Amino acid sequence: MERIKQTMRTWKVPIGKREMSEKIEELQKRESKYILTQPLYQNYWLQSIQGAPTKPGKGSSVVDTTLSLAGLVASSILNSSSSQFSPKDSSFIFWHEIPEVKQSGLLGVVTAQELKVQEAMFEVITSEASYLRSLTVAVNHFSKCPELLDTLTLTDRHTLFSNVLEVKDASERFLLDLEARLEENIFLRDISDVVLRHCTDFRRVYIPYVTNQMYQEKVMQQLMQNVEFVQVLKKLEEQPVCQRQLLKSFLILPFQRITRLKILLENILMLTSPECPITESVGQAVEAIREIVHECNENIKMMRQIEELVSLEKQLEFASTKSLALISRTRFLVKEGELDEIFGPESGHKTGNAAKSIYLHLFNDLLLLSRKDDGRFSVLDYARTSKVRADCFEAKSLVFVLFLSENHKGISRKFIVGAGNEYEMQEWVAAISTLQRAECEPPNKATWCVEMSESDHSTVCKFSDSEA
Protein backbone atom coordinates (compact mmCIF):
# COMPACT_ATOMS: atom_id res chain seq x y z
CA MET A 1 0.00 0.00 0.00
CA GLU A 2 2.86 2.39 0.81
CA ARG A 3 4.34 1.74 -2.63
CA ILE A 4 1.01 2.60 -4.23
CA LYS A 5 0.69 5.81 -2.24
CA GLN A 6 4.18 6.84 -3.34
CA THR A 7 3.20 6.16 -6.93
CA MET A 8 0.15 8.37 -6.55
CA ARG A 9 2.35 11.19 -5.30
CA THR A 10 4.33 11.14 -8.57
CA TRP A 11 1.20 12.16 -10.50
CA LYS A 12 0.89 15.89 -10.88
CA VAL A 13 -2.79 15.97 -11.96
CA PRO A 14 -5.13 16.53 -8.98
CA ILE A 15 -7.10 13.36 -8.18
CA GLY A 16 -10.32 13.19 -6.14
CA LYS A 17 -11.00 10.60 -3.43
CA ARG A 18 -13.06 8.41 -5.75
CA GLU A 19 -10.52 8.59 -8.53
CA MET A 20 -7.75 7.93 -5.98
CA SER A 21 -9.55 4.81 -4.78
CA GLU A 22 -10.01 3.59 -8.33
CA LYS A 23 -6.34 4.21 -9.16
CA ILE A 24 -5.18 2.36 -6.04
CA GLU A 25 -7.38 -0.59 -6.92
CA GLU A 26 -6.00 -0.55 -10.46
CA LEU A 27 -2.39 -0.48 -9.26
CA GLN A 28 -3.03 -3.33 -6.84
CA LYS A 29 -4.08 -5.46 -9.79
CA ARG A 30 -1.19 -4.43 -12.01
CA GLU A 31 1.85 -6.63 -12.34
CA SER A 32 4.78 -6.35 -14.67
CA LYS A 33 4.24 -8.13 -17.94
CA TYR A 34 7.95 -8.63 -18.62
CA ILE A 35 9.65 -9.23 -15.26
CA LEU A 36 9.37 -13.03 -15.48
CA THR A 37 10.24 -13.17 -19.18
CA GLN A 38 13.59 -11.42 -18.83
CA PRO A 39 16.91 -12.84 -17.58
CA LEU A 40 18.54 -11.70 -14.37
CA TYR A 41 20.07 -8.28 -14.83
CA GLN A 42 23.59 -9.64 -14.30
CA ASN A 43 23.25 -11.61 -17.54
CA TYR A 44 21.77 -8.69 -19.46
CA TRP A 45 24.48 -6.33 -18.30
CA LEU A 46 27.38 -8.67 -18.95
CA GLN A 47 26.20 -9.19 -22.52
CA SER A 48 25.80 -5.45 -23.01
CA ILE A 49 29.31 -4.56 -21.85
CA GLN A 50 30.90 -7.48 -23.70
CA GLY A 51 29.60 -6.11 -26.97
CA ALA A 52 26.81 -8.59 -27.59
CA PRO A 53 24.15 -7.09 -29.85
CA THR A 54 21.10 -5.82 -27.98
CA LYS A 55 19.28 -4.57 -31.09
CA PRO A 56 18.50 -6.45 -34.29
CA GLY A 57 19.29 -5.46 -37.83
CA LYS A 58 22.27 -4.19 -39.71
CA GLY A 59 23.74 -0.87 -38.86
CA SER A 60 22.66 -1.07 -35.24
CA SER A 61 23.98 1.88 -33.32
CA VAL A 62 26.91 1.40 -30.99
CA VAL A 63 26.63 2.97 -27.56
CA ASP A 64 29.58 4.14 -25.50
CA THR A 65 29.41 1.90 -22.46
CA THR A 66 32.11 3.74 -20.52
CA LEU A 67 31.09 3.47 -16.90
CA SER A 68 31.20 6.10 -14.22
CA LEU A 69 33.06 5.66 -10.96
CA ALA A 70 30.05 3.91 -9.48
CA GLY A 71 29.72 1.75 -12.60
CA LEU A 72 33.38 0.79 -12.54
CA VAL A 73 33.01 -0.40 -8.97
CA ALA A 74 30.18 -2.62 -10.12
CA SER A 75 32.16 -3.73 -13.17
CA SER A 76 35.11 -4.96 -11.12
CA ILE A 77 32.87 -7.05 -8.88
CA LEU A 78 30.64 -8.47 -11.57
CA ASN A 79 33.53 -9.35 -13.86
CA SER A 80 35.05 -11.40 -11.05
CA SER A 81 32.16 -13.83 -11.47
CA SER A 82 31.52 -13.38 -15.18
CA SER A 83 32.42 -16.99 -15.85
CA GLN A 84 29.14 -17.93 -14.20
CA PHE A 85 27.18 -16.48 -17.10
CA SER A 86 25.69 -18.94 -19.55
CA PRO A 87 24.07 -17.99 -22.88
CA LYS A 88 21.17 -20.32 -22.11
CA ASP A 89 20.19 -17.98 -19.26
CA SER A 90 19.36 -15.18 -21.66
CA SER A 91 15.86 -14.69 -23.00
CA PHE A 92 16.02 -11.17 -24.38
CA ILE A 93 13.01 -9.96 -26.32
CA PHE A 94 13.00 -7.22 -28.93
CA TRP A 95 10.23 -4.80 -29.90
CA HIS A 96 9.80 -6.32 -33.33
CA GLU A 97 9.21 -9.73 -31.71
CA ILE A 98 6.20 -8.62 -29.65
CA PRO A 99 3.08 -10.45 -30.94
CA GLU A 100 1.08 -7.20 -30.91
CA VAL A 101 3.70 -5.56 -33.14
CA LYS A 102 3.68 -8.46 -35.59
CA GLN A 103 -0.11 -8.47 -35.75
CA SER A 104 -0.39 -4.69 -36.16
CA GLY A 105 1.42 -4.59 -39.50
CA LEU A 106 3.76 -1.89 -38.20
CA LEU A 107 6.86 -3.77 -39.32
CA GLY A 108 5.80 -3.26 -42.92
CA VAL A 109 5.51 0.52 -42.61
CA VAL A 110 8.14 1.73 -40.13
CA THR A 111 11.47 2.94 -41.50
CA ALA A 112 14.78 1.39 -40.49
CA GLN A 113 15.53 4.44 -38.33
CA GLU A 114 12.12 4.31 -36.62
CA LEU A 115 12.70 0.63 -35.88
CA LYS A 116 16.00 1.48 -34.17
CA VAL A 117 14.29 4.10 -32.01
CA GLN A 118 11.55 1.64 -31.04
CA GLU A 119 14.10 -1.01 -30.11
CA ALA A 120 16.10 1.54 -28.09
CA MET A 121 13.03 2.64 -26.14
CA PHE A 122 11.87 -0.92 -25.65
CA GLU A 123 15.28 -1.88 -24.24
CA VAL A 124 14.72 0.62 -21.42
CA ILE A 125 11.56 -1.34 -20.54
CA THR A 126 12.96 -4.87 -20.83
CA SER A 127 16.22 -4.01 -19.08
CA GLU A 128 14.26 -2.42 -16.21
CA ALA A 129 12.22 -5.62 -15.98
CA SER A 130 15.43 -7.63 -15.87
CA TYR A 131 16.80 -5.27 -13.21
CA LEU A 132 13.64 -5.53 -11.10
CA ARG A 133 13.79 -9.30 -11.31
CA SER A 134 17.29 -9.27 -9.80
CA LEU A 135 16.31 -6.72 -7.16
CA THR A 136 13.38 -8.94 -6.19
CA VAL A 137 15.81 -11.80 -5.58
CA ALA A 138 18.06 -9.51 -3.52
CA VAL A 139 15.14 -8.41 -1.35
CA ASN A 140 12.96 -11.51 -1.03
CA HIS A 141 15.61 -14.23 -1.15
CA PHE A 142 18.43 -12.56 0.80
CA SER A 143 17.45 -9.46 2.79
CA LYS A 144 14.26 -11.05 4.15
CA CYS A 145 15.77 -14.46 4.91
CA PRO A 146 15.38 -15.10 8.68
CA GLU A 147 18.30 -17.54 8.80
CA LEU A 148 20.65 -15.02 7.20
CA LEU A 149 19.42 -12.13 9.30
CA ASP A 150 20.02 -14.15 12.47
CA THR A 151 23.75 -14.17 11.66
CA LEU A 152 23.88 -10.36 11.37
CA THR A 153 23.85 -7.53 13.87
CA LEU A 154 21.35 -4.71 13.30
CA THR A 155 24.19 -2.49 12.11
CA ASP A 156 25.46 -5.11 9.67
CA ARG A 157 21.94 -5.64 8.30
CA HIS A 158 21.53 -1.94 7.62
CA THR A 159 24.99 -1.56 6.06
CA LEU A 160 24.79 -4.71 3.95
CA PHE A 161 21.32 -4.21 2.50
CA SER A 162 20.97 -0.44 2.98
CA ASN A 163 17.78 0.85 1.32
CA VAL A 164 17.63 -1.87 -1.33
CA LEU A 165 13.92 -2.35 -0.66
CA GLU A 166 13.28 1.30 -1.53
CA VAL A 167 15.39 0.91 -4.68
CA LYS A 168 13.30 -2.10 -5.68
CA ASP A 169 10.03 -0.27 -5.06
CA ALA A 170 11.23 2.70 -7.13
CA SER A 171 12.17 0.34 -9.97
CA GLU A 172 8.76 -1.34 -9.82
CA ARG A 173 6.89 1.98 -10.01
CA PHE A 174 9.05 3.05 -12.93
CA LEU A 175 8.59 -0.23 -14.80
CA LEU A 176 4.81 -0.25 -14.36
CA ASP A 177 4.60 3.28 -15.75
CA LEU A 178 6.78 2.30 -18.70
CA GLU A 179 4.62 -0.72 -19.43
CA ALA A 180 1.48 1.39 -19.10
CA ARG A 181 2.90 3.66 -21.80
CA LEU A 182 3.49 0.66 -24.05
CA GLU A 183 -0.07 -0.55 -23.46
CA GLU A 184 -1.42 2.84 -24.52
CA ASN A 185 0.26 2.49 -27.90
CA ILE A 186 2.47 -0.34 -29.05
CA PHE A 187 4.31 2.21 -31.19
CA LEU A 188 6.20 4.14 -28.51
CA ARG A 189 6.08 7.88 -29.13
CA ASP A 190 8.19 8.83 -26.12
CA ILE A 191 9.31 7.52 -22.73
CA SER A 192 11.51 10.41 -21.62
CA ASP A 193 8.60 12.11 -19.83
CA VAL A 194 8.15 8.93 -17.76
CA VAL A 195 11.85 9.04 -16.87
CA LEU A 196 11.65 12.69 -15.86
CA ARG A 197 8.63 12.03 -13.68
CA HIS A 198 10.58 9.42 -11.72
CA CYS A 199 13.88 11.31 -11.37
CA THR A 200 12.97 12.66 -7.94
CA ASP A 201 12.36 9.08 -6.82
CA PHE A 202 15.65 7.96 -8.37
CA ARG A 203 17.61 10.68 -6.61
CA ARG A 204 15.98 9.84 -3.28
CA VAL A 205 16.90 6.13 -3.38
CA TYR A 206 20.04 5.84 -5.53
CA ILE A 207 22.28 8.46 -3.96
CA PRO A 208 22.08 7.03 -0.41
CA TYR A 209 22.52 3.49 -1.71
CA VAL A 210 25.56 4.30 -3.82
CA THR A 211 27.11 6.40 -1.05
CA ASN A 212 26.84 3.39 1.27
CA GLN A 213 28.71 1.16 -1.19
CA MET A 214 32.15 1.55 0.38
CA TYR A 215 30.89 0.50 3.81
CA GLN A 216 28.87 -2.30 2.23
CA GLU A 217 32.05 -3.74 0.71
CA LYS A 218 33.90 -3.61 4.04
CA VAL A 219 31.09 -5.29 5.95
CA MET A 220 30.86 -8.00 3.28
CA GLN A 221 34.59 -8.71 3.63
CA GLN A 222 34.29 -8.91 7.40
CA LEU A 223 31.24 -11.16 7.24
CA MET A 224 33.06 -13.62 5.01
CA GLN A 225 35.13 -14.44 8.12
CA ASN A 226 31.91 -15.37 9.94
CA VAL A 227 31.52 -19.13 9.48
CA GLU A 228 27.80 -19.17 10.29
CA PHE A 229 27.07 -16.34 7.85
CA VAL A 230 29.08 -18.00 5.09
CA GLN A 231 27.31 -21.34 5.52
CA VAL A 232 23.83 -19.79 5.31
CA LEU A 233 24.85 -17.54 2.43
CA LYS A 234 26.29 -20.42 0.41
CA LYS A 235 23.03 -22.37 0.72
CA LEU A 236 21.03 -19.35 -0.44
CA GLU A 237 23.33 -18.69 -3.40
CA GLU A 238 23.01 -22.31 -4.52
CA GLN A 239 19.24 -21.99 -4.90
CA PRO A 240 17.96 -22.00 -8.53
CA VAL A 241 16.45 -18.52 -8.15
CA CYS A 242 20.00 -17.08 -8.02
CA GLN A 243 21.08 -18.75 -11.27
CA ARG A 244 24.62 -19.23 -9.89
CA GLN A 245 24.95 -15.52 -9.04
CA LEU A 246 26.51 -14.43 -5.73
CA LEU A 247 24.90 -12.05 -3.25
CA LYS A 248 27.45 -9.35 -3.98
CA SER A 249 26.46 -9.40 -7.67
CA PHE A 250 22.91 -8.52 -6.63
CA LEU A 251 23.94 -5.80 -4.19
CA ILE A 252 26.05 -3.83 -6.65
CA LEU A 253 23.39 -3.65 -9.38
CA PRO A 254 21.95 -0.23 -8.38
CA PHE A 255 25.41 1.32 -8.86
CA GLN A 256 25.47 0.06 -12.40
CA ARG A 257 21.82 0.47 -13.37
CA ILE A 258 21.60 4.24 -12.98
CA THR A 259 24.64 4.60 -15.24
CA ARG A 260 23.25 2.16 -17.77
CA LEU A 261 19.97 4.07 -17.85
CA LYS A 262 21.89 7.19 -18.80
CA ILE A 263 23.59 5.30 -21.63
CA LEU A 264 20.30 3.91 -22.94
CA LEU A 265 18.75 7.39 -22.97
CA GLU A 266 21.82 8.80 -24.72
CA ASN A 267 21.37 6.14 -27.37
CA ILE A 268 17.75 7.19 -27.92
CA LEU A 269 18.86 10.81 -28.18
CA MET A 270 21.53 9.86 -30.71
CA LEU A 271 18.92 8.08 -32.84
CA THR A 272 16.47 10.99 -32.91
CA SER A 273 16.90 13.85 -35.36
CA PRO A 274 17.15 17.45 -34.06
CA GLU A 275 13.73 18.33 -35.51
CA CYS A 276 12.04 15.33 -33.83
CA PRO A 277 9.36 16.45 -31.31
CA ILE A 278 10.79 14.29 -28.51
CA THR A 279 14.42 15.37 -28.88
CA GLU A 280 14.19 18.14 -26.30
CA SER A 281 12.44 15.94 -23.74
CA VAL A 282 14.92 13.10 -24.25
CA GLY A 283 17.78 15.55 -23.81
CA GLN A 284 16.28 16.72 -20.53
CA ALA A 285 15.95 13.14 -19.33
CA VAL A 286 19.58 12.43 -20.21
CA GLU A 287 20.72 15.51 -18.31
CA ALA A 288 18.56 14.66 -15.28
CA ILE A 289 19.97 11.13 -15.03
CA ARG A 290 23.48 12.43 -15.70
CA GLU A 291 23.15 14.77 -12.71
CA ILE A 292 22.15 11.86 -10.48
CA VAL A 293 25.11 9.80 -11.71
CA HIS A 294 27.43 12.75 -11.14
CA GLU A 295 26.14 13.24 -7.60
CA CYS A 296 26.58 9.53 -6.90
CA ASN A 297 30.18 9.74 -8.11
CA GLU A 298 30.88 12.86 -6.07
CA ASN A 299 29.46 11.25 -2.94
CA ILE A 300 31.61 8.15 -3.44
CA LYS A 301 34.73 10.29 -3.83
CA MET A 302 33.87 12.36 -0.79
CA MET A 303 33.26 9.32 1.41
CA ARG A 304 36.51 7.71 0.27
CA GLN A 305 38.36 10.93 1.00
CA ILE A 306 36.87 11.07 4.48
CA GLU A 307 37.85 7.43 5.04
CA GLU A 308 41.42 8.30 4.02
CA LEU A 309 41.45 11.10 6.58
CA VAL A 310 40.04 8.86 9.31
CA SER A 311 42.70 6.22 8.61
CA LEU A 312 45.52 8.78 8.51
CA GLU A 313 44.40 10.55 11.68
CA LYS A 314 44.80 7.27 13.57
CA GLN A 315 48.44 7.15 12.44
CA LEU A 316 49.36 10.70 13.50
CA GLU A 317 51.20 11.60 16.70
CA PHE A 318 51.35 15.19 17.91
CA ALA A 319 54.08 14.83 20.54
CA SER A 320 55.82 18.14 19.77
CA THR A 321 53.00 20.10 18.16
CA LYS A 322 49.47 21.15 18.93
CA SER A 323 46.99 18.44 17.93
CA LEU A 324 44.97 18.95 14.77
CA ALA A 325 41.45 17.85 13.82
CA LEU A 326 42.26 16.36 10.43
CA ILE A 327 38.82 15.13 9.37
CA SER A 328 36.75 17.60 7.36
CA ARG A 329 34.15 17.16 4.61
CA THR A 330 35.96 19.73 2.46
CA ARG A 331 39.51 18.41 2.97
CA PHE A 332 41.12 15.87 0.67
CA LEU A 333 44.62 14.52 0.12
CA VAL A 334 46.35 15.88 -2.96
CA LYS A 335 49.82 14.37 -2.71
CA GLU A 336 52.01 12.56 -0.21
CA GLY A 337 55.54 11.24 -0.17
CA GLU A 338 58.83 10.81 1.65
CA LEU A 339 61.63 13.29 0.89
CA ASP A 340 64.91 14.36 2.52
CA GLU A 341 65.17 17.29 4.90
CA ILE A 342 68.57 18.92 4.35
CA PHE A 343 70.40 20.32 7.36
CA GLY A 344 73.23 22.80 6.79
CA PRO A 345 74.18 26.48 6.89
CA GLU A 346 71.29 27.36 4.58
CA SER A 347 68.77 25.84 6.97
CA GLY A 348 70.09 27.70 9.98
CA HIS A 349 71.86 24.69 11.50
CA LYS A 350 75.49 25.04 12.52
CA THR A 351 76.30 21.40 11.95
CA GLY A 352 77.62 20.13 8.64
CA ASN A 353 75.31 19.22 5.79
CA ALA A 354 73.14 16.24 6.70
CA ALA A 355 69.83 14.77 5.62
CA LYS A 356 66.95 13.13 7.40
CA SER A 357 63.77 11.67 5.98
CA ILE A 358 60.70 13.87 6.18
CA TYR A 359 57.19 12.91 5.11
CA LEU A 360 54.86 15.40 3.46
CA HIS A 361 51.07 15.14 3.35
CA LEU A 362 49.71 17.84 1.06
CA PHE A 363 45.97 18.47 1.34
CA ASN A 364 43.92 21.01 -0.57
CA ASP A 365 44.10 23.37 2.43
CA LEU A 366 46.91 22.04 4.60
CA LEU A 367 50.54 20.91 4.50
CA LEU A 368 51.59 18.39 7.16
CA LEU A 369 55.28 17.60 7.80
CA SER A 370 56.27 14.59 9.88
CA ARG A 371 58.74 11.79 10.52
CA LYS A 372 57.58 8.33 9.54
CA ASP A 373 58.48 5.44 11.80
CA ASP A 374 56.97 1.96 11.79
CA GLY A 375 53.82 3.07 9.98
CA ARG A 376 53.16 6.06 12.22
CA PHE A 377 53.76 9.75 11.62
CA SER A 378 55.26 12.03 14.27
CA VAL A 379 54.14 15.52 13.25
CA LEU A 380 56.87 18.18 13.11
CA ASP A 381 54.84 21.10 11.82
CA TYR A 382 51.86 22.09 9.71
CA ALA A 383 50.43 25.16 8.02
CA ARG A 384 47.61 26.19 5.71
CA THR A 385 48.58 25.95 2.06
CA SER A 386 47.90 29.68 1.66
CA LYS A 387 50.80 30.22 4.11
CA VAL A 388 53.23 27.90 2.30
CA ARG A 389 55.58 28.75 -0.56
CA ALA A 390 57.84 26.34 -2.47
CA ASP A 391 60.87 27.65 -4.40
CA CYS A 392 63.56 25.79 -6.32
CA PHE A 393 66.84 26.12 -4.42
CA GLU A 394 69.05 26.68 -7.46
CA ALA A 395 69.22 25.79 -11.15
CA LYS A 396 69.46 22.05 -11.90
CA SER A 397 69.22 21.28 -8.19
CA LEU A 398 67.04 18.55 -6.71
CA VAL A 399 66.49 20.71 -3.64
CA PHE A 400 63.64 23.13 -2.97
CA VAL A 401 62.77 25.37 -0.06
CA LEU A 402 59.51 25.31 1.86
CA PHE A 403 58.65 28.64 3.45
CA LEU A 404 55.95 28.51 6.11
CA SER A 405 55.07 32.16 6.63
CA GLU A 406 52.74 31.15 9.47
CA ASN A 407 52.86 27.66 10.94
CA HIS A 408 50.63 26.14 13.62
CA LYS A 409 52.30 28.38 16.24
CA GLY A 410 51.80 31.49 14.15
CA ILE A 411 55.51 31.90 13.39
CA SER A 412 57.54 31.54 10.18
CA ARG A 413 59.70 28.52 9.47
CA LYS A 414 61.86 27.22 6.62
CA PHE A 415 62.56 23.66 5.49
CA ILE A 416 65.13 22.71 2.86
CA VAL A 417 63.92 19.56 1.15
CA GLY A 418 65.61 17.25 -1.34
CA ALA A 419 63.83 15.09 -3.94
CA GLY A 420 64.98 11.92 -5.62
CA ASN A 421 64.92 13.41 -9.13
CA GLU A 422 64.06 16.62 -10.99
CA TYR A 423 60.60 15.40 -11.99
CA GLU A 424 59.65 14.67 -8.36
CA MET A 425 61.03 18.03 -7.22
CA GLN A 426 59.05 19.98 -9.83
CA GLU A 427 55.90 17.99 -9.05
CA TRP A 428 56.03 19.11 -5.43
CA VAL A 429 56.82 22.74 -6.26
CA ALA A 430 54.01 22.91 -8.81
CA ALA A 431 51.44 21.22 -6.53
CA ILE A 432 52.20 23.46 -3.55
CA SER A 433 52.31 26.61 -5.65
CA THR A 434 49.01 25.81 -7.36
CA LEU A 435 47.22 25.10 -4.09
CA GLN A 436 48.61 28.28 -2.55
CA ARG A 437 46.94 30.29 -5.32
CA ALA A 438 43.75 28.24 -5.36
CA GLU A 439 42.91 27.98 -1.66
CA CYS A 440 40.79 31.11 -1.76
CA GLU A 441 38.60 29.55 -4.51
CA PRO A 442 35.62 27.22 -3.76
CA PRO A 443 36.91 23.73 -2.82
CA ASN A 444 36.70 20.97 -5.38
CA LYS A 445 36.57 17.38 -4.16
CA ALA A 446 38.39 15.93 -7.15
CA THR A 447 41.91 14.60 -6.74
CA TRP A 448 44.81 16.60 -8.11
CA CYS A 449 47.82 15.34 -9.94
CA VAL A 450 50.83 17.10 -11.40
CA GLU A 451 52.25 16.44 -14.84
CA MET A 452 55.50 17.67 -16.35
CA SER A 453 55.89 18.17 -20.09
CA GLU A 454 58.83 16.17 -21.41
CA SER A 455 59.55 18.80 -24.04
CA ASP A 456 60.05 21.88 -21.86
CA HIS A 457 60.01 20.43 -18.31
CA SER A 458 57.25 22.89 -17.42
CA THR A 459 54.80 21.82 -14.73
CA VAL A 460 51.06 22.07 -14.69
CA CYS A 461 48.33 20.88 -12.30
CA LYS A 462 45.11 19.32 -13.41
CA PHE A 463 42.30 17.12 -12.09
CA SER A 464 42.93 13.40 -12.42
CA ASP A 465 39.24 12.35 -12.38
CA SER A 466 36.95 13.43 -15.22
CA GLU A 467 33.27 13.93 -14.59
CA ALA A 468 30.79 11.30 -15.66
Side-chain angles (χ1 to χ4, degrees):
M1 181 61 69
E2 180 60 29
R3 174 180 61 80
I4 293 172
K5 290 180 179 178
Q6 291 182 16
T7 301
M8 302 300 290
R9 287 195 285 269
T10 66
W11 294 335
K12 297 181 179 180
V13 179
I15 300 177
K17 290 184 178 180
R18 182 176 178 181
E19 290 83 356
M20 173 73 79
S21 178
E22 291 175 352
K23 287 291 184 182
I24 289 177
E25 185 178 352
E26 178 187 345
L27 284 171
Q28 287 176 327
K29 296 178 180 178
R30 287 175 59 189
E31 292 183 356
S32 170
K33 181 179 179 180
Y34 295 102
I35 184 172
L36 296 180
T37 66
Q38 296 303 297
L40 289 178
Y41 194 73
Q42 291 93 321
N43 296 340
Y44 158 79
W45 187 64
L46 284 172
Q47 281 204 355
S48 69
I49 67 170
Q50 290 171 358
T54 58
K55 300 176 183 63
K58 296 181 179 180
S60 296
S61 58
V62 178
V63 181
D64 178 12
T65 57
T66 302
L67 299 178
S68 64
L69 177 60
L72 287 172
V73 170
S75 175
S76 63
I77 297 176
L78 270 183
N79 282 335
S80 67
S81 59
S82 61
S83 60
Q84 299 182 30
F85 171 73
S86 172
K88 68 179 181 181
D89 295 329
S90 65
S91 54
F92 303 115
I93 184 173
F94 301 108
W95 181 81
H96 76 279
E97 296 174 332
I98 304 175
E100 293 87 342
V101 172
K102 293 181 177 179
Q103 296 168 7
S104 68
L106 283 170
L107 296 177
V109 296
V110 297
T111 65
Q113 190 65 19
E114 287 174 335
L115 177 58
K116 291 178 183 178
V117 174
Q118 290 301 303
E119 296 291 0
M121 290 186 183
F122 189 64
E123 186 177 355
V124 175
I125 300 175
T126 54
S127 62
E128 192 67 31
S130 174
Y131 174 55
L132 179 57
R133 182 177 180 181
S134 288
L135 288 178
T136 301
V137 174
V139 171
N140 296 343
H141 188 64
F142 289 105
S143 76
K144 292 184 178 181
C145 175
E147 291 81 4
L148 188 66
L149 295 179
D150 286 344
T151 68
L152 304 173
T153 65
L154 290 177
T155 300
D156 286 345
R157 291 182 192 180
H158 175 73
T159 305
L160 187 62
F161 295 110
S162 189
N163 62 325
V164 67
L165 177 59
E166 294 182 359
V167 176
K168 171 187 169 292
D169 289 344
S171 173
E172 185 173 9
R173 290 190 292 271
F174 181 46
L175 177 59
L176 289 177
D177 278 358
L178 288 171
E179 292 189 15
R181 176 61 54 87
L182 185 64
E183 290 172 4
E184 291 172 5
N185 192 334
I186 197 67
F187 186 83
L188 291 163
R189 301 292 180 182
D190 188 15
I191 61 169
S192 59
D193 59 321
V194 179
V195 175
L196 286 168
R197 191 163 66 244
H198 284 265
C199 277
T200 300
D201 218 12
F202 293 158
R203 183 180 298 275
R204 178 180 61 82
V205 300
Y206 278 105
I207 293 176
Y209 192 96
V210 172
T211 303
N212 179 64
Q213 178 267 333
M214 178 173 58
Y215 303 102
Q216 188 183 68
E217 282 184 2
K218 288 184 177 180
V219 167
M220 191 66 176
Q221 291 173 359
Q222 294 169 0
L223 289 172
M224 294 309 291
Q225 307 303 315
N226 181 331
V227 176
E228 185 180 2
F229 171 82
V230 172
Q231 289 176 343
V232 176
L233 180 62
K234 185 176 180 181
K235 290 180 180 179
L236 290 174
E237 291 175 338
E238 290 175 347
Q239 295 298 312
V241 69
C242 295
Q243 296 183 21
R244 303 180 300 283
Q245 298 292 343
L246 306 180
L247 170 60
K248 63 182 179 180
S249 77
F250 288 95
L251 294 179
I252 53 81
L253 293 183
F255 312 145
Q256 180 273 330
R257 175 57 183 172
I258 193 66
T259 303
R260 182 66 184 172
L261 181 57
K262 177 178 74 74
I263 292 172
L264 293 175
L265 292 170
E266 287 172 340
N267 192 36
I268 296 172
L269 183 61
M270 181 176 64
L271 291 171
T272 56
S273 59
E275 61 274 8
C276 182
I278 70 170
T279 299
E280 182 178 356
S281 177
V282 175
Q284 292 173 352
V286 169
E287 185 57 33
I289 297 297
R290 182 180 290 134
E291 288 178 2
I292 296 174
V293 172
H294 176 70
E295 193 167 346
C296 287
N297 289 335
E298 288 299 300
N299 275 20
I300 288 176
K301 285 189 281 188
M302 183 179 69
M303 296 308 294
R304 285 182 173 174
Q305 289 157 3
I306 290 176
E307 280 297 300
E308 285 181 355
L309 295 179
V310 170
S311 177
L312 177 58
E313 189 173 64
K314 294 177 181 178
Q315 299 174 280
L316 298 179
E317 295 178 349
F318 295 89
S320 58
T321 61
K322 183 179 178 180
S323 61
L324 168 72
L326 189 65
I327 301 171
S328 169
R329 292 179 66 89
T330 59
R331 178 173 293 148
F332 55 91
L333 184 65
V334 174
K335 185 175 175 61
E336 65 176 310
E338 195 164 21
L339 301 169
D340 291 323
E341 181 183 6
I342 310 297
F343 300 99
E346 299 87 349
S347 61
H349 291 266
K350 295 182 179 180
T351 58
N353 290 343
K356 194 171 184 179
S357 294
I358 186 170
Y359 205 95
L360 272 60
H361 287 94
L362 179 63
F363 304 92
N364 59 309
D365 63 341
L366 180 76
L367 176 64
L368 198 68
L369 302 98
S370 58
R371 305 275 188 222
K372 184 178 181 181
D373 182 30
D374 195 25
R376 299 191 63 80
F377 300 94
S378 179
V379 179
L380 302 174
D381 209 341
Y382 56 86
R384 294 193 64 85
T385 52
S386 60
K387 305 296 182 180
V388 180
R389 192 176 83 247
D391 295 332
C392 296
F393 193 73
E394 59 184 31
K396 297 183 179 181
S397 172
L398 301 183
V399 177
F400 63 96
V401 184
L402 284 175
F403 292 98
L404 279 57
S405 61
E406 185 178 327
N407 68 356
H408 72 287
K409 293 182 178 180
I411 61 176
S412 62
R413 193 169 179 186
K414 180 174 69 173
F415 292 85
I416 299 178
V417 181
N421 53 64
E422 185 179 1
Y423 180 81
E424 183 182 29
M425 185 270 293
Q426 292 202 32
E427 273 192 324
W428 277 105
V429 173
I432 293 171
S433 300
T434 302
L435 287 174
Q436 179 196 28
R437 294 190 299 268
E439 191 185 5
C440 60
E441 300 176 358
N444 189 307
K445 294 189 285 292
T447 305
W448 290 68
C449 70
V450 183
E451 291 189 340
M452 182 171 67
S453 169
E454 294 182 356
S455 58
D456 58 6
H457 287 201
S458 61
T459 56
V460 63
C461 273
K462 71 173 186 179
F463 292 109
S464 62
D465 292 318
S466 58
E467 296 181 358

